Amino acid sequence: MAISRRKFLQGGALAAAGVALAGKPAEANADAPDLRTKGLQKTTTICPFCSVGCGLIVHTKGGKVVNTEGDPDHPINRGSLCPKGSALFQIANNERRLQKVMYRAPGSDRFEEKSWDWALDRIATLMKDTRDRTFKKTEVNPKDNKTYVVNRTEGMALFGGAGLDNEECYLWTKFARSMGVAQLEHQARL
Amino acid sequence: MTNHWIDLKNADAILAIGCNPAENHPISFKWIEEALDKGAKLIAVDPRFTRTASKADVYAQLRPGTDIAFLGGLINYALQKGMFHEEYVREYTNAAFIVNDSYDFQDGMFNSFDEKEKSYDPKSWGYALDASGNPRRDPSLKDPKCVFQLMKKHYSRYDVDKVCSITGTRKEDFLKVAEAYCATGRAGKAGTILYAMGITQSTHGSQNVRATALLQLLLGNIGIAGGGVNALRGESNVQGSTDYGLLFHLLPGYLKSPEFDNVDLKAYKEKWTPKTKDAKSANWWGNTPKYITSLLKGWYGDNATAENDFCYDYLPKRSGNYGYVKILEKMGKGGIEGLVCMGMNPAVGGPDSGKAREALGKLKWLVTADLWETETSIFWKRPGVDPKQIQTEVFMLPAASSVEKEGSISNSGRWTQWRYAAIKPIADSRSDLWILDQFHKRVKNLYATKGGVFPEPITRLAWNYGNGEEADVHLVAREINGYFTKDTTIKDKDKTLEFKKGDQVPMFKYLQDDGSTVSGCWIYCGSFTNEGNQMARRDQSDPTGLGMYPKWAWAWPVNRRIIYNRASVKPNGEPFDPTRKVIAWDPLEKKWKGDVPDGPWPPMTDAKEGKYPFIMVPEGHGRLYALDLKDGPFPEHYEPMESPALNNLSKVQNNPVVAVPKNVSSDTKKFPYVGTTYRVTEHWQAGAMTRSLPWLVELVPDMFVEISETLARHKGIVNGDTVTVTTERGSISAKALVTSRLKPFEVEGKHIEQVGMPWHFGYAGMATGDSGNVLTPSVGCANTGIPEFKAFLCNIEKGGKRA
């Protein structure tokens, strides 16, 4: 995989400057960052990569992320970032990000664009069909030959996700168990 | 982590084994370096000379998969040289506990092994009990059946020469590690162990972790500042996702998911609520009934009543193992119709990924939610397959990134930090919260209108997160914390507390088992109180100077920054180390000062109310000897499933309770080299999150395979050559990276070469390459099922398909 330096430099000058500032208190910097970020909206976030939990500041303008940099007030990273954390800007600004719901029909060799409504209705129907078809109300245990109520959906598995927020994880497990899915697993098993 | 990232600065010795923080947790090095600046020693133990090793005072090379031999050697060294914290060991561990007469260990096997079932009976390893039902103890530690003596005997076999003959470590390096690290085995010295997947990804991974815990208990290093057993976790919220039970055997808060024979809530409580007869043991899991009931109230709301067992019947019951590897096996046989992947990429991230890709083609339907095209979402058009032959219906849903939504994540040190939405989700992408909310609402609607099999668990589910476009994340966070379902009066010692219906529960000690409280995840109770969202706090005060920052974000449990901190003080409550006081008992005010203590009780010596420090086990003492692992009470060295060597310590080659799968081979004629996988700073996990970022792609654009200079010479390979690596599972091509970071191991007089590679690559995204996991075996740890990615056998040849 090759990429030209020219392309590398395009579209990221502000964020690249953020990398250079890492680890220094903003006020002391000769780049006059107050001016650099003047008029921009500012929110804090936590890095989505490893589990150190470094803080970042996200600067936005007109609904677009225009800069990300290490949060100098954050006690763990005190403004510094590693290469991945420094590249957060390119997650928010990236032409390869998925834009639309895509669907691939059985046997097809391509994706086609679909609406959320269509896809979610279809997914809900498939989930219900699989659940209804593979739901196991009871089973006989071979060791004691007794019948036990297990209320389990055998034909569905759910994977993920160590990249979800806690509140999302909670709804994920709540949804899974309500569907009778015992086969719920994620990265912590790997 | 028992401790947390900033606490690394408090250590006198840092032992990094099976992890490479300089590479994979780079900012952690800020705090490691602060410790080094104050004179601490950094010790790196790893098969490769890593970035961490390059900064270490001592580096010791060890052959992949031989960690127990190495750590067992350190345990033996500490015991033989008397370099352990005697008071700590006697008072706070189960060293003095006397074990049943039936316990035995002979030539690699513990007692009670059933050849047919390939399993032990852990009950046969129990403690010997006295007339009142408590474990018998010998505080002199001299009884030949006490844990201390059994442990000493067990590890006496791990002498330095034996250990080095197994691990391939140079003897002088091993001795340097032993001297530097065991020097922390006394009051006033702190040693921390850092580990990651080098320890867990093994057929004896849980015992590897146990070996680190044994060493730390022996040295008195758990509960103290600068100490602990610290798992450096890999993903930004893998701590949280584990806390919330996204695993087949768990419910949120490490409650066990019900087994088939937990036939009702009473039976569930009976099975999973440990008991003790010792009044000095807090036995915290004795509160299980309160936590499971509060969870069920959160899930089934007003529908959950004492009369209907709080809807316990609605939960699926497990019969056996549904771990990741087992699910993939079942999928490969066509046993699974549908799979949903929320930010997970099994086509790259799991073992034997060639098989995993084939298994995906057996699904009727597949849903992925991710920021990018992943190898999983486009598996049906991967190189070498004909899409027409694959009948899986695939939905690729665009998910929002972390800066496009609001919510919390928990770092490795258990700090739960709040993130804000900087912008709306781009294009048509949506947050996972929105997607999950839609899944539930639409499925529920189908069941409500059309009926179906046993619809009640879905139609009666409490799902009250507002009427907005997506679920209100604050309402979800409030439910996780928990609230009172009616006006409640609680007597807490001399105080009487009045709570109103709807009040947030301030901390988990107020949760109830009668339905009067809700809590979606008990360990997070206290994170969102009547005072507000504690996870969003940004107060930078550090009153102890130890870097605990108690008002920055919130840490589970109960905002405790160092867990087991009651073991940092003597039985009378005075800190072992007066210069690094985590907690200290103030006898005048009759209260603890410093970190949130592991329970409110006075020190252990208080005859009436004192408690032992290890509150999560019923005996209250740290376990040098385990009672509930499938593969034995003491960690014992076995070779990895694929190994170039015979077990030099016993006749038992592999972990006896792990079944050997078909596609594993220790034929060293075909596969003479040890293969291992790892990560690089510039990429992340299966690569979807980094292989499409131009800055990172420029830094590491290609898949590579790292070999030593000697192996390169032997094979006529030079840097940059295309090479092919083959195992019993498959083969991959990549660029050769010839370095002096890899050196062969001396094993039984032979030089064994190693082949290392990252596992970040695949066929999707901007930078593509072959996947390391095509090579790795899908055989896992006896207790957790985590696969043995770190130690397998392979061959390497010059040439290959990628020119």
Side-chain angles (χ1 to χ4, degrees):
Chain A
M1 172 72 226
I3 176 166
S4 72
R5 178 151 295 271
R6 187 183 157 80
K7 201 166 176 190
F8 168 67
L9 289 172
Q10 276 171 2
L14 257 180
V19 179
L21 288 175
K24 294 175 191 161
E27 293 73 18
N29 197 280
D31 261 22
D34 283 354
L35 281 178
R36 194 170 55 82
T37 56
K38 201 174 173 193
L40 303 180
Q41 298 279 327
K42 186 174 141 180
T43 51
T44 57
T45 192
I46 303 296
C47 182
F49 290 107
C50 88
S51 64
V52 173
C54 298
L56 290 99
I57 296 171
V58 183
H59 291 105
T60 59
K61 190 175 184 181
K64 271 191 76 84
V65 174
V66 294
N67 179 51
T68 59
E69 63 189 51
D71 180 352
D73 292 335
H74 197 285
I76 293 176
N77 62 313
R78 293 279 175 218
S80 38
L81 292 173
C82 79
K84 286 194 291 288
S86 305
L88 177 65
F89 175 82
Q90 291 198 325
I91 291 180
N93 294 282
N94 194 308
E95 60 191 24
R96 301 187 76 93
R97 279 279 300 275
L98 298 179
Q99 310 286 313
K100 297 279 175 195
V101 173
M102 302 303 276
Y103 172 73
R104 182 259 181 186
S108 168
D109 61 356
R110 72 202 62 201
F111 273 127
E112 52 192 297
E113 201 180 304
K114 291 284 184 188
S115 72
W116 273 106
D117 239 1
W118 182 90
L120 289 167
D121 277 343
R122 176 84 189 132
I123 291 166
T125 303
L126 289 167
M127 283 178 171
K128 180 176 185 294
D129 289 352
T130 291
R131 184 179 178 276
D132 286 351
R133 201 160 34 231
T134 67
F135 196 80
K136 194 183 249 185
K137 181 86 192 155
T138 61
E139 84 186 349
V140 177
N141 181 264
K143 283 190 180 150
D144 61 10
N145 266 322
K146 281 192 201 159
T147 301
Y148 292 91
V149 174
V150 292
N151 286 336
R152 211 165 59 216
T153 300
E154 298 286 73
M156 202 190 308
L158 306 176
F159 283 167
L164 303 183
D165 289 353
N166 285 323
E167 296 72 23
E168 293 169 339
C169 289
Y170 176 66
L171 291 198
W172 189 215
T173 189
K174 188 170 176 175
F175 169 75
R177 303 312 185 202
S178 78
M179 293 289 285
V181 174
Q183 297 163 146
L184 169 65
E185 285 277 291
H186 83 290
Q187 287 91 340
R189 187 79 67 194
L190 295 172
Chain B
M1 289 170 92
T2 55
N3 295 42
H4 60 98
W5 294 107
I6 299 174
D7 182 64
L8 299 178
K9 74 172 182 166
N10 297 315
D12 295 307
I14 297 165
L15 171 57
I17 180 166
C19 66
N20 182 8
E23 184 86 44
N24 297 322
H25 302 86
I27 301 301
S28 71
F29 242 71
K30 195 182 197 68
W31 302 106
I32 293 176
E33 285 183 336
E34 187 148 326
L36 300 184
D37 288 347
K38 291 190 286 182
K41 290 260 188 294
L42 174 63
I43 302 160
V45 180
D46 202 281
R48 302 174 298 125
F49 188 79
T50 61
R51 275 180 167 163
T52 303
S54 76
K55 290 279 185 184
D57 297 278
V58 186
Y59 166 64
Q61 193 190 21
L62 103 165
R63 180 164 59 88
T66 62
D67 309 75
I68 289 177
F70 196 96
L71 291 162
L74 295 181
I75 291 166
N76 186 44
Y77 188 91
L79 288 167
Q80 299 300 330
K81 301 258 175 181
M83 294 171 86
F84 57 93
H85 190 328
E86 200 183 330
E87 186 179 9
Y88 187 105
V89 168
R90 189 181 61 239
E91 300 290 342
Y92 295 158
T93 76
N94 66 357
F97 285 55
I98 303 203
V99 168
N100 259 336
D101 280 342
S102 57
Y103 169 80
D104 194 18
F105 178 80
Q106 296 287 340
D107 197 28
M109 297 298 291
F110 296 95
N111 62 295
S112 82
F113 190 69
D114 181 330
E115 276 292 344
K116 210 174 124 225
E117 300 282 326
K118 294 261 175 231
S119 68
Y120 288 109
D121 175 15
K123 284 195 190 76
S124 70
W125 305 325
Y127 299 130
L129 304 179
D130 64 17
S132 59
N134 285 318
R136 284 172 49 214
R137 287 195 251 171
D138 173 22
S140 76
L141 307 182
K142 286 190 179 133
D143 189 301
K145 287 280 179 186
C146 80
V147 165
F148 186 77
Q149 291 300 332
L150 294 175
M151 177 180 186
K152 213 169 165 179
K153 186 176 165 201
H154 189 89
Y155 290 106
S156 65
R157 300 149 54 236
Y158 290 65
D159 64 83
V160 180
D161 291 314
K162 178 69 87 179
V163 165
C164 292
S165 76
I166 294 168
T167 61
T169 310
R170 293 194 313 173
K171 192 172 168 181
E172 61 264 39
D173 294 339
F174 179 84
L175 288 171
K176 273 191 220 159
V177 174
E179 277 153 30
Y181 197 69
C182 296
T184 65
R186 58 193 165 93
K189 287 286 173 195
T192 180
I193 296 187
L194 312 182
Y195 76 88
M197 309 328 259
I199 285 286
T200 60
Q201 291 175 341
S202 160
T203 41
H204 42 262
S206 299
Q207 296 286 12
N208 286 347
V209 178
R210 289 249 333 124
T212 67
L214 256 64
L215 183 59
Q216 288 296 69
L217 284 171
L218 212 49
L219 301 177
N221 277 335
I222 294 183
I224 64 171
V229 172
N230 294 304
L232 313 187
R233 308 210 58 184
E235 292 96 352
S236 58
N237 197 33
V238 70
Q239 187 59 54
S241 55
T242 313
D243 299 339
Y244 284 88
L246 307 185
L247 293 162
F248 84 88
H249 68 296
L250 292 177
L251 293 173
Y254 301 94
L255 294 167
K256 294 289 192 298
S257 66
E259 289 184 329
F260 68 97
D261 57 352
N262 311 153
V263 295
D264 53 21
L265 188 56
K266 185 165 169 273
Y268 175 91
K269 291 177 189 169
E270 186 65 28
K271 173 77 188 273
W272 302 114
T273 309
K275 290 164 194 71
T276 176
K277 292 184 173 165
D278 188 339
K280 270 194 138 45
S281 174
N283 186 29
W284 201 265
W285 279 115
N287 294 306
T288 298
K290 298 172 187 170
Y291 306 149
I292 184 69
T293 309
S294 297
L295 174 78
L296 287 166
K297 276 302 280 183
W299 287 12
Y300 288 101
D302 292 341
N303 293 321
T305 63
E307 292 69 40
N308 66 14
D309 237 5
F310 298 102
C311 299
Y312 171 82
D313 197 32
Y314 294 172
L315 297 178
K317 312 294 182 295
R318 63 185 151 111
S319 324
N321 185 333
Y322 315 129
Y324 177 89
V325 165
K326 298 282 180 193
I327 293 176
L328 262 290
E329 266 174 39
K330 184 172 167 186
M331 202 183 293
K333 292 178 191 151
I336 307 237
E337 292 188 1
L339 171 70
V340 185
C341 292
M342 304 290 286
M344 192 156 155
N345 190 2
V348 177
D352 198 0
S353 45
K355 275 263 167 24
R357 294 164 192 174
E358 285 169 27
L360 291 170
K362 303 274 172 69
L363 294 167
K364 278 191 166 62
W365 53 271
L366 167 69
V367 179
T368 65
D370 222 311
L371 276 62
W372 329 87
E373 264 193 7
T374 64
E375 287 74 7
T376 299
S377 61
I378 61 166
F379 84 94
W380 47 273
K381 56 172 177 177
R382 69 187 186 274
V385 300
D386 176 8
K388 291 190 183 64
Q389 304 304 314
I390 295 174
Q391 296 308 310
T392 313
E393 198 171 343
V394 181
F395 303 81
M396 184 168 70
L397 308 179
S401 82
S402 59
V403 299
E404 296 153 22
K405 60 186 182 182
E406 190 175 353
S408 70
I409 59 171
S410 302
N411 77 1
S412 207
R414 298 168 287 102
W415 290 21
T416 303
Q417 308 187 85
W418 198 258
R419 302 196 285 208
Y420 297 90
I423 54 170
K424 287 198 176 117
I426 63 148
D428 234 359
S429 67
R430 297 284 190 277
S431 73
D432 298 284
L433 199 73
W434 184 89
I435 296 170
L436 290 167
D437 188 42
Q438 291 293 319
F439 282 171
H440 170 69
K441 284 176 174 162
R442 289 179 196 242
V443 171
K444 180 181 173 178
N445 186 44
L446 286 179
Y447 276 101
T449 54
K450 297 187 174 167
V453 178
F454 196 36
E456 291 83 358
I458 299 160
T459 56
R460 304 186 81 201
L461 191 67
W463 198 271
N464 307 308
Y465 308 118
N467 302 310
E469 157 70 359
E470 75 171 18
D472 181 338
V473 71
H474 293 92
L475 291 178
V476 180
R478 283 172 170 275
E479 177 178 312
I480 288 169
N481 178 92
Y483 51 85
F484 289 91
T485 61
K486 57 181 189 187
D487 294 356
T488 303
T489 304
I490 294 176
K491 281 211 184 333
D492 185 10
K493 283 170 69 178
D494 43 358
K495 285 181 289 186
T496 301
L497 302 160
E498 301 284 350
F499 297 101
K500 290 267 166 249
K501 178 181 176 177
D503 278 351
Q504 294 294 106
V505 181
M507 58 176 93
F508 53 62
K509 73 170 174 176
Y510 300 130
L511 294 175
Q512 305 295 321
D513 65 359
D514 60 0
S516 60
T517 56
V518 157
S519 179
C521 188
W522 71 274
I523 57 175
Y524 282 81
C525 189
S527 64
F528 205 126
T529 61
N530 276 359
E531 285 69 49
N533 183 352
Q534 304 300 302
M535 302 171 280
R537 296 183 301 170
R538 285 176 63 87
D539 182 320
Q540 298 189 52
S541 58
D542 178 23
T544 61
L546 293 173
M548 292 196 275
Y549 296 94
K551 292 180 181 170
W552 180 277
W554 184 85
W556 73 259
V558 231
N559 203 33
R560 184 173 300 132
R561 303 286 159 146
I562 296 180
I563 53 181
Y564 306 120
N565 56 24
R566 290 170 75 93
S568 72
V569 297
K570 296 174 194 170
N572 67 1
E574 273 174 48
F576 278 124
D577 182 349
T579 66
R580 283 169 283 199
K581 291 185 202 171
V582 181
I583 57 167
W585 178 253
D586 185 327
L588 293 175
E589 290 185 43
K590 290 204 175 297
K591 65 180 213 189
W592 292 101
K593 292 193 170 159
D595 193 12
V596 179
D598 248 324
W601 319 282
M604 199 169 113
T605 45
D606 185 291
K608 246 173 82 187
E609 292 179 77
K611 301 279 185 221
Y612 306 133
F614 286 92
I615 63 172
M616 302 312 281
V617 285
E619 68 272 42
H621 288 71
R623 286 180 175 171
L624 295 168
Y625 175 96
L627 303 175
D628 52 3
L629 289 194
K630 290 179 182 163
D631 43 358
F634 290 123
E636 168 68 5
H637 166 72
Y638 302 107
E639 287 292 327
M641 276 297 158
E642 291 188 337
S643 168
L646 291 175
N647 189 348
N648 204 6
L649 208 60
S650 75
K651 283 187 218 144
V652 185
Q653 176 69 3
N654 305 120
N655 190 337
V657 307
V658 176
V660 188
K662 280 193 196 114
N663 58 354
V664 155
S665 167
S666 282
D667 180 349
T668 50
K669 289 207 177 64
K670 263 167 87 183
F671 305 116
Y673 311 120
V674 176
T676 193
T677 60
Y678 52 84
R679 301 190 290 147
V680 298
T681 302
E682 297 77 9
H683 286 297
W684 193 63
Q685 312 298 40
M689 284 284 283
T690 52
R691 281 189 285 110
S692 287
L693 309 192
W695 294 340
L696 297 174
V697 167
E698 170 148 338
L699 292 170
V700 180
D702 277 312
M703 173 64 183
F704 61 85
V705 168
E706 194 171 354
I707 55 172
S708 73
E709 290 162 341
T710 46
L711 180 56
R713 266 199 303 278
H714 175 66
K715 288 283 182 182
I717 295 166
V718 297
N719 222 11
D721 275 355
T722 297
V723 291
T724 298
V725 183
T726 307
T727 68
E728 189 68 20
R729 275 74 55 192
S731 69
I732 64 165
S733 297
K735 284 195 172 152
L737 179 64
V738 181
T739 74
S740 57
R741 296 190 294 241
L742 263 65
K743 302 263 192 240
F745 303 96
E746 177 96 20
V747 179
E748 292 163 355
K750 290 181 295 190
H751 283 294
I752 303 286
E753 293 281 357
Q754 55 176 328
V755 175
M757 69 204 77
W759 59 275
H760 301 298
F761 284 84
Y763 46 81
M766 189 178 189
T768 57
D770 282 1
S771 304
N773 276 330
V774 166
L775 305 176
T776 54
S778 68
V779 56
C781 168
N783 293 285
T784 65
I786 294 178
E788 200 156 65
F789 294 104
K790 291 290 185 192
F792 53 90
L793 289 183
C794 66
N795 191 20
I796 184 166
E797 295 295 347
K798 190 170 169 170
K801 62 184 188 294
R802 292 169 68 87

